[in-house]
Amino acid sequence: MNFEGMNFEGMNFEGMDFEGMDFEDEGFKDEGRSIMSDEDLKAMQKNVRKLKRIASEKAAELHDLVEDRLPAAYEEIPSIANATYEACKAWSEAEKQLAAQTSENAA
């Protein structure tokens, strides 16, 4: 287990017996897991909802362009389509991170 960068200030190890403990044993391996607090998980969920709303708004703009302003406004297609793509991609990545973190917290 790598203790580098960890702050042990204020922790009391008095009376703890570490003799004979194998820190490379299965129970002590650093698996790279990071459990989030409920507060952090809720903030992540809120961000996913926000990104989904933004992606939906961008999709609506693209829809309005197609429905109402084409073919006259054809020059707007690349910028609106790109903004929609980027918004959907941001939402998708955040959704995947949330799903991974939720399953990690449950483990």
Side-chain angles (χ1 to χ4, degrees):
M1 186 172 231
N2 183 359
F3 295 105
E4 188 175 320
M6 295 180 78
N7 183 2
F8 295 105
E9 187 177 324
M11 295 181 81
N12 184 1
F13 295 105
E14 190 175 320
M16 296 181 86
D17 182 15
F18 295 105
E19 190 173 330
M21 292 182 86
D22 180 11
F23 289 97
E24 294 302 320
D25 184 65
E26 284 298 310
F28 291 95
K29 279 189 179 175
D30 182 10
E31 298 175 17
R33 291 180 42 183
S34 62
I35 304 300
M36 291 182 94
S37 69
D38 287 342
E39 186 177 297
D40 289 340
L41 199 54
K42 285 179 184 179
M44 191 178 221
Q45 290 168 335
K46 183 178 179 180
N47 188 52
V48 168
R49 286 191 302 270
K50 176 185 171 188
L51 291 172
K52 185 175 183 178
R53 178 186 50 79
I54 292 169
S56 295
E57 289 171 1
K58 294 297 179 185
E61 286 179 35
L62 184 59
H63 177 267
D64 290 347
L65 172 66
V66 171
E67 283 284 313
D68 302 332
R69 301 194 321 261
L70 286 181
Y74 73 92
E75 293 174 339
E76 295 179 44
I77 293 172
S79 63
I80 294 176
N82 189 50
T84 303
Y85 172 82
E86 291 298 327
C88 290
K89 182 178 175 185
W91 166 76
S92 178
E93 290 172 358
E95 180 78 10
K96 287 175 188 172
Q97 289 175 352
L98 176 61
Q101 191 62 52
T102 301
S103 68
E104 196 165 300
N105 273 16

